[in-house]
Amino acid sequence: MKMDVIATLKLNHNQLPLTELGRLVEADDLNELNKELKPLVDNQTLCLTAQGNVYLLTEEGFHCGLLKMHQKGFGFVSDVRNPERDSYFVPPTAMNGAIKGDEVVYKVSFEDDGRDRAEIIEIAHRDKEFLIGEIRRSYDGRFLDFIPTDISFNNFRMVILNKNDLVLKEHDLYKAKIINIQDRKMFIRLKKNIGNATKAADRILSIAEEFDLPIEFMPNTLRNAQNVNIHPREEKAEFERRLTTSIMDKGLVTIDGLDSKDLDDAIYVERYKDGYKLIVAIADVSHYVLPKSPLDREALRRGNSTYLANMVIPMLPKILSDDLCSLNPNTEKFAMACEMIFDSMGDMVNKRVFETIMISHARLNYDECNKYFQEQKWDKAPEVAKMLDVAHELYLKLLKQREAKGMLNLEIREPKIVMDKDSNVVAIKARQSGPSEQLIEQFMVSANEAVAELVHEQELPFIYRDHGKPSVESLSEWYASLKTFGINIKLTNKEMTDPRNLNKALQMIDHQIANPIEKELLNLSLLRHLDKAEYALENIGHFGLASKCYTHFTSPIRRYPDLMVHRFLREYILNGDTSEALQRQNTDFIKKASLIVNETEINSVDCEREVVKVCMVEFMQDKVGQIYDGVIAVALKFGFFVQLENMVEGLVHISTLGSGVTYDDKTQTLTKDNNTFYRMGQAVKIRVEAVDPQKRTIDFVLV
């Protein structure tokens, strides 16, 4: 069939409608033909468009790629068969109705001067259905126009089809559905009023809409939440059953951020025989969110909670996330607990999971715990301080054990956006984790690993959090980049992928590089050479945590995979159901759900980053002309980004550096003809040249 398809396409100018191709290769069933074509589409031999046309991709003929657009109307299109190649230029006249983000089929031709250009033949697939924009008055003041926040659409004239049905006001923010595109006209229908562009909170909300994050819950989901909102004591039979495994007498505490409301996890540590007992108690969300219920369907659709500066878009309605399921202090809660026994060296020697009832005896925050660990001063219950001392003792042993196994110890700060009551950005600070954050992380990692092992030992279908081993090629690039900083580590290919050697390199960076921001940038550069962690049915271990078997168990309020893990634990471990029918059902669901939650996670992270970027732009608006010290974060072909002490980044464009600047892709260095060079980690002094809220850009110049 494969050769028949390719030969038939070659005989027909490398393109055919799917129905015609099916007739020519004598395929009786188009669905079966689609299945036959899928491997050829996946390996970029063919492109199958949404309109049902099949193209054979070749170097001389049809290409397929993603389109990026400039606000002036031209664009650049990548080549899926040759991702390393520079994108092809697409003039405005060759767009054929395509817009930014479209997957397109195109042909390449050459001008008389040898320059190439692409002409779009067909839109293969379009993901973008909506635009976010602001209602603004036209230049002559006569009309109210829709101006997209994405400037790559500025070259289109927006035609609002339902303008007469609405009372439009200047600065209103709207979500608009793309209906049709003709030449440079885009026909849209305004679907949702998001708020007012002059209000910072509404601007953040508009970014969430831009990333298509669901803001409001469906009515049946909210009804479902109300129906399950029953205090544990009111569920008498369930409460009585769990009393046999109650941990209400244990001094459990939660340790979270000061503003956190969705408190998933609580901890308790005690000395036990010659070692330690650690209990990690997690909100039993699975007791309330039943499979295929409205709550469950919407939680899967959302995949996770998203945290945007001063607001949360929760996975579950707040009646659950902030109240019923949240482990608020001095309140009885249903929980799923993981109890772990460690020896005196910090090795886990036993583990079990069980349903229980718990009470959090204190709602602690990271700041006060860090202060206690540093100063040993405590003004709350003395028994809590005693428990924290034992917890810290165990944490240090767990950390030592995990570092010996090769857990990557990356010290990376995060920007913290500080806002006033009106959601205006008043400060941006660098946030670094302290001992209490690291303690909680180590305890959660231990619990995640323990429950993963419990299921993996029985070879049952499960959802794992995988982080693959990086390739030798990728890591050799990173090791080579360290040489420019005077760090030369000679390793064989096998030694390169040993996480313990990566830690040695990180320790050398820590000892040899004085500037803390430069250290952090080198740590970040390693992350770019590592795989991204994701959820999957197959267990391949977690490279970054030096774990052979890992999952996510500790945050079912804000992550759907954790909710799945709780259900599997109840089915397999607590109820002992390992029937073949259940295993088949769970296998199918894990495959489906993994695809969804991996996508929602990426989308949430991208949205969170975009909000931080916008907040930085807003913060720097009144700083134009001011001078700051900074460090080059990365050098690229078009200039370099400089990071300030507060983690704000801006671009020094190559055009401001004078003539004769060349770029070395291998060393990521820009060099002037007088041998002045610019590379990552270099200290520079800059002036804020321009800040553009619409483009979401900050421009610096060297001083």
Side-chain angles (χ1 to χ4, degrees):
M1 172 72 83
K2 173 183 173 183
M3 296 311 297
D4 287 348
V5 165
I6 293 173
T8 303
L9 285 167
K10 284 181 177 177
L11 289 171
N12 289 273
H13 309 291
N14 293 341
Q15 66 175 118
L16 278 171
L18 181 64
T19 50
E20 181 65 8
L21 177 62
R23 186 184 69 78
L24 292 173
V25 299
E26 300 180 353
D28 298 327
D29 187 334
L30 283 184
N31 288 329
E32 286 301 315
L33 178 59
N34 263 317
K35 289 179 184 177
E36 293 285 346
L37 296 182
K38 189 177 184 306
L40 295 172
V41 173
D42 290 345
N43 68 15
Q44 285 94 44
T45 300
L46 303 180
C47 179
L48 176 60
T49 71
Q51 290 75 29
N53 294 315
V54 184
Y55 293 85
L56 179 64
L57 304 179
T58 65
E59 190 61 36
E60 299 78 22
F62 295 110
H63 299 251
C64 180
L66 288 176
L67 178 67
K68 291 182 179 179
M69 286 190 69
H70 190 273
Q71 65 190 84
K72 292 184 178 178
F74 59 82
F76 295 91
V77 63
S78 63
D79 188 343
V80 293
R81 287 166 59 89
N82 190 3
E84 301 299 318
R85 191 202 179 284
D86 287 345
S87 296
Y88 293 102
F89 174 73
V90 188
T93 54
M95 286 291 175
N96 196 15
I99 61 174
K100 173 187 174 183
D102 283 351
E103 182 184 340
V104 296
V105 177
Y106 63 96
K107 278 191 165 184
V108 177
S109 59
F110 293 88
E111 307 284 1
D112 294 338
D113 59 5
R115 288 183 298 174
D116 53 44
R117 54 165 277 175
E119 180 175 357
I120 293 170
I121 306 300
E122 185 178 343
I123 299 162
H125 183 72
R126 174 170 290 166
D127 278 332
K128 196 165 192 68
E129 297 179 37
F130 294 93
L131 290 175
I132 307 300
E134 180 183 345
I135 302 299
R136 292 189 195 165
R137 198 159 291 284
S138 59
Y139 289 117
D140 60 10
R142 296 168 57 199
F143 305 103
L144 288 172
D145 295 329
F146 177 86
I147 308 299
T149 54
D150 188 335
I151 61 171
S152 65
F153 291 93
N154 281 3
N155 196 50
F156 288 95
R157 182 188 160 205
M158 297 289 162
V159 180
I160 305 172
L161 296 175
N162 58 335
K163 195 171 189 175
N164 293 334
D165 301 336
L166 301 165
V167 179
L168 299 181
K169 291 180 284 187
E170 196 172 0
H171 303 305
D172 273 356
L173 287 164
Y174 271 94
K175 186 173 189 175
K177 184 173 178 60
I178 300 169
I179 304 299
N180 194 16
I181 297 169
Q182 294 176 9
D183 298 322
R184 305 311 299 164
K185 285 183 182 178
M186 184 176 288
F187 295 86
I188 60 172
R189 189 177 297 278
L190 301 184
K191 301 291 286 185
K192 181 180 182 181
N193 188 319
I194 300 167
N196 189 290
T198 62
K199 295 180 180 177
D202 289 349
R203 291 196 295 272
I204 291 173
L205 209 56
S206 74
I207 297 169
E209 293 282 3
E210 198 175 300
F211 282 81
D212 209 22
L213 292 175
I215 310 297
E216 294 91 10
F217 284 93
M218 302 290 284
N220 60 343
T221 304
L222 294 173
R223 283 194 296 272
N224 189 182
Q226 288 287 353
N227 291 338
V228 301
N229 184 25
I230 302 168
H231 189 276
R233 277 200 178 270
E234 293 176 36
E235 294 190 56
K236 292 181 181 178
E238 183 67 14
F239 193 89
E240 289 291 328
R241 186 178 73 82
R242 294 194 186 212
L243 278 176
T244 58
T245 54
S246 168
I247 51 174
M248 289 190 287
D249 60 326
K250 300 293 185 182
L252 287 141
V253 301
T254 61
I255 308 177
D256 291 272
L258 200 58
D259 302 324
S260 299
K261 292 184 174 63
D262 49 356
L263 312 181
D264 295 273
D265 55 89
I267 63 155
Y268 170 75
V269 187
E270 66 181 37
R271 289 192 178 86
Y272 182 80
K273 296 182 180 178
D274 294 329
Y276 305 88
K277 179 190 286 185
L278 165 64
I279 297 175
V280 173
I282 306 299
D284 192 356
V285 178
S286 61
H287 175 73
Y288 301 102
V289 180
L290 302 181
K292 298 183 180 179
S293 64
L295 275 168
D296 181 54
R297 290 194 186 96
E298 184 144 4
L300 175 57
R301 182 169 71 95
R302 292 171 178 246
N304 48 263
S305 297
T306 305
Y307 297 83
L308 307 177
N310 66 336
M311 66 178 289
V312 179
I313 300 173
M315 183 180 81
L316 298 170
K318 288 191 175 182
I319 195 172
L320 268 70
S321 65
D322 294 3
D323 186 16
L324 180 65
C325 295
S326 184
L327 304 183
N328 299 323
N330 306 313
T331 308
E332 294 160 336
K333 298 285 181 179
F334 287 149
M336 185 82 81
C338 178
E339 179 186 278
M340 293 154 278
I341 307 298
F342 297 89
D343 64 19
S344 59
M345 301 300 292
D347 282 317
M348 192 185 301
V349 294
N350 206 352
K351 54 189 174 281
R352 71 182 180 113
V353 293
F354 56 96
E355 297 169 311
T356 187
I357 311 169
M358 62 154 286
I359 293 175
S360 169
H361 292 265
R363 195 281 193 222
L364 308 180
N365 64 70
Y366 293 127
D367 291 343
E368 66 184 340
C369 290
N370 287 336
K371 188 176 180 182
Y372 171 68
F373 290 139
Q374 288 158 7
E375 300 177 5
Q376 287 294 297
K377 293 178 182 176
W378 191 253
D379 58 3
K380 294 189 175 180
E383 61 270 20
V384 173
K386 286 179 183 177
M387 194 278 289
L388 288 177
D389 289 337
V390 181
H392 193 262
E393 200 175 285
L394 174 60
Y395 149 66
L396 292 176
K397 296 190 177 187
L398 294 180
L399 184 62
K400 187 176 180 180
Q401 286 280 2
R402 203 161 285 281
E403 285 180 342
K405 291 177 184 175
M407 180 191 75
L408 296 182
N409 197 357
L410 295 165
E411 293 185 17
I412 296 171
R413 302 170 302 158
E414 292 181 349
K416 178 176 174 59
I417 310 298
V418 182
M419 294 182 160
D420 63 17
K421 60 181 176 59
D422 297 318
S423 298
N424 296 302
V425 183
V426 295
I428 297 175
K429 300 176 180 177
R431 175 172 51 196
Q432 195 155 13
S433 64
S436 66
E437 289 96 334
Q438 293 164 19
L439 177 149
I440 291 298
E441 183 182 355
Q442 285 304 315
F443 288 178
M444 298 306 113
V445 166
S446 294
N448 288 334
E449 198 170 52
V451 299
E453 288 172 356
L454 282 170
V455 178
H456 191 256
E457 287 163 3
Q458 298 189 42
E459 299 182 350
L460 296 165
F462 201 53
I463 185 165
Y464 294 97
R465 180 65 168 178
D466 289 341
H467 185 223
K469 197 173 188 178
S471 68
V472 171
E473 294 76 20
S474 183
L475 284 183
S476 63
E477 286 178 14
W478 183 71
Y479 281 115
S481 72
L482 298 182
K483 291 178 183 177
T484 58
F485 297 89
I487 299 170
N488 190 7
I489 304 171
K490 295 179 181 178
L491 299 168
T492 64
N493 286 350
K494 186 177 180 181
E495 289 170 336
M496 277 187 188
T497 56
D498 187 330
R500 288 169 294 192
N501 289 324
L502 281 172
N503 268 334
K504 286 177 185 175
L506 293 170
Q507 286 168 10
M508 290 176 72
I509 290 169
D510 190 48
H511 294 145
Q512 295 183 34
I513 305 296
N515 188 311
I517 297 179
E518 190 176 348
K519 284 182 190 178
E520 180 178 81
L521 292 170
L522 285 169
N523 277 244
L524 273 170
S525 71
L526 172 58
L527 282 181
R528 298 189 194 106
H529 290 83
L530 299 179
D531 291 350
K532 189 192 175 300
E534 61 181 16
Y535 298 101
L537 175 67
E538 181 188 3
N539 171 45
I540 62 170
H542 196 295
F543 179 81
L545 294 173
S547 176
K548 292 180 181 177
C549 184
Y550 197 69
T551 192
H552 273 165
F553 158 75
T554 55
S555 298
I557 291 177
R558 60 185 178 89
R559 287 191 307 231
Y560 192 83
D562 303 53
L563 176 58
M564 292 172 64
V565 165
H566 282 229
R567 288 173 179 162
F568 296 149
L569 290 171
R570 179 171 283 112
E571 290 167 349
Y572 300 150
I573 308 296
L574 304 180
N575 297 342
D577 185 354
T578 57
S579 64
E580 288 188 13
L582 179 66
Q583 289 190 51
R584 282 194 301 271
Q585 175 187 304
N586 286 350
T587 297
D588 291 342
F589 186 66
I590 292 165
K591 289 177 180 177
K592 170 193 165 187
S594 294
L595 294 173
I596 295 170
V597 295
N598 285 331
E599 285 296 321
T600 59
E601 180 185 26
I602 291 169
N603 192 49
S604 287
V605 169
D606 288 344
C607 184
E608 287 165 4
R609 286 174 178 163
E610 192 67 16
V611 167
V612 168
K613 179 180 167 184
V614 168
C615 287
M616 287 180 172
V617 170
E618 291 197 3
F619 179 68
M620 296 300 287
Q621 272 188 98
D622 61 353
K623 314 282 188 303
V624 174
Q626 294 186 22
I627 294 172
Y628 296 90
D629 290 318
V631 174
I632 296 176
V634 63
L636 302 165
K637 289 179 181 178
F638 52 84
F640 52 85
F641 285 91
V642 174
Q643 185 182 107
L644 308 184
E645 178 61 34
N646 61 1
M647 300 195 76
V648 168
E649 283 193 7
L651 174 67
V652 176
H653 196 269
I654 192 170
S655 61
T656 67
L657 300 176
S659 59
V661 181
T662 58
Y663 180 70
D664 186 329
D665 192 42
K666 192 173 181 181
T667 61
Q668 291 190 316
T669 304
L670 284 163
T671 307
K672 297 176 72 172
D673 50 15
N674 64 358
N675 290 328
T676 301
F677 64 87
Y678 306 100
R679 71 172 187 213
M680 182 182 71
Q682 205 170 323
V684 291
K685 194 178 285 289
I686 60 89
R687 182 178 71 247
V688 182
E689 184 71 4
V691 177
D692 191 323
Q694 190 186 0
K695 293 181 182 177
R696 299 175 181 173
T697 56
I698 302 170
D699 292 318
F700 294 158
V701 292
L702 294 177
V703 294

